Each structure stands twice: as C-alpha cells, then as structure tokens.
Amino acid sequence: GSQTSGNDLTHGQEDGERLGVLTLIEPIGYVEVPMARTAPAVDGVVDAVWDAAPAVSTDVQVEGSPGASADVRLLWSGSALYALAEVTDPALDATNSNAWEQDSVEFFVDPTNAKSGAYNPVDGQYRVNFENAVSISGEPPVQDRLTSETSITDSGYIVEVAVELGYEPEPGQLVGLELQVNDATDGARNSVRTWSDPTGRSYQNTSR
Ligand code: CA
C-alpha cells in the first residue's frame, strides 16, 4: 500500500508541478567493435587485419567550415582499443605552436564508459598530429597508454593508434570514445570535426 516516486515525493503527479526534467540531445554515436583475431601492428599501414573492421566518420562539424575529415576503423584485442584513422586533408600544416591547431586526430577514451562528466583519472585525451607528434591530457596512468604511428598518403595522412584501457574487457563491455579531426591551414585551425559530440567539449566532459 506504499508509494515511491522518482521526483515528486508527494506522489501528486496529477497536477504536473513536480515532474523531473529531461533535456533532449543529439544521438550518441554507437558502433560495435569486433575483437581482432590478431592485434594490429601499429605501423601506420592498413594491414589486412583492418579489412573487416567497422568504420565511423567525423561527420559532425564542431568549429569552422567543413575541412579535413577522417574515416576511422576500430578493433580491440586484449586490454587495448585499436584505431586506424584515414584523414582526407590536402594541405598538411603543423606550424602553429598549439598542438590542437595542427593537423591532427584526437582520441578521447573513457575506458569503462563511466560518462562521469569531468575526467576520471583513467580518462584520456590522446592527440596525434600527421608527423606523429603526440600530446596527451590526463592523469599519470594515461600518459603511458598510447602507442601511435602515422604515414602520409596521396589524399592526406593515416594515424594508427593503440590505447591501453587498463583492464581486459569482456565482449559486451561499453567503452566511451570520441574522435576529432583538427584541420590547420597556414598556421590556423579552420575546421574541427567529430564523430559524435557536437559540443566541442570532449576534452573536458566525457558525458557525450
Ligand atoms: Ca590541413
């Protein structure tokens, strides 16, 4: 004979005055990532192991006008997430002293999909420019979790990475991920594109 309610502790929902609030947001990107039979060699080359890997693309324009974009293939093996980003960018530029204003790909990884908002100690922002210059934002364990290699292609460049998750996931585990392409021209960033999060705040907030 008792009642419990989520928001209205008077259980008087009929008057509609104490309902909870939903904020409707864009869909959050989702992709099923198969376990690799053999872990990819992180060498900036599209090895055969990538043939059957699913790909997502950076279709969300966060800043500037449409510029460099990437198709990113994903796999996992053991305790690591693997990504191979093929970036279309006809003019490669790393002249700005700010790493995020150089032609680069960023990988935001929340290993257990905690979606805690502010970064947990295990959450990391991993940036790799087309010359394989690496910059990482995160607590000390995160600083050692990236392996990367790059190569230049006819249409742009490839960034291949392995990111250690810090545990061995089981199939079915969710991992929080965002992908971002920074496009620079003549020393200035004029396009930022992501896979999922339209806020441009993935470097501060893992919720999307
Ligand atoms: Ca560029």
Side-chain angles (χ1 to χ4, degrees), residues 7-44:
N7 279 287
D8 184 351
L9 301 185
T10 72
H11 319 302
Q13 283 89 348
E14 296 84 359
D15 65 19
E17 291 183 0
R18 290 164 301 278
L19 304 185
V21 176
L22 309 183
T23 298
L24 305 182
I25 65 171
E26 298 81 359
I28 290 180
Y30 174 81
V31 61
E32 292 189 342
V33 176
M35 180 167 60
R37 294 191 185 283
T38 314
V42 180
D43 54 8

Side-chain angles (χ1 to χ4, degrees), residues 179-190:
L179 306 159
Q180 175 171 318
V181 177
N182 302 309
D183 185 7
T185 305
D186 297 331
R189 184 170 71 171
N190 48 26

Side-chain angles (χ1 to χ4, degrees), residues 44-46 84-87 149-153 156-160:
V45 176
V46 188
L84 183 127
E86 294 181 82
V87 184
E149 190 54 88
T150 61
S151 61
I152 307 299
T153 65
Y157 60 101
I158 288 173
V159 176
E160 186 171 21

Side-chain angles (χ1 to χ4, degrees), residues 63-169:
E63 209 178 287
S65 51
S69 195
D71 292 323
V72 185
R73 294 187 236 189
L74 298 161
L75 290 169
W76 69 286
S77 178
S79 59
L81 176 69
Y82 292 84
L84 183 127
E86 294 181 82
V87 184
T88 302
D89 184 344
L92 301 182
D93 186 300
T95 54
N96 196 295
S97 56
N98 293 326
W100 61 92
E101 295 190 75
Q102 302 173 0
D103 283 327
S104 53
V105 180
E106 302 189 27
F107 305 85
F108 305 85
V109 180
D110 169 5
T112 60
N113 196 40
K115 287 193 162 34
S116 58
Y119 271 45
N120 280 327
V122 295
D123 297 337
Q125 175 189 10
Y126 306 88
R127 183 188 304 104
V128 184
N129 85 358
F130 68 94
E131 296 173 315
N132 199 28
V134 169
S135 42
I136 299 174
S137 298
E139 303 282 325
V142 165
Q143 296 288 334
D144 299 322
R145 289 189 169 172
L146 179 76
T147 306
S148 68
E149 190 54 88
T150 61
S151 61
I152 307 299
T153 65
D154 290 342
S155 53
Y157 60 101
I158 288 173
V159 176
E160 186 171 21
V161 301
V163 178
E164 279 293 324
L165 298 172
Y167 70 104
E168 294 212 2

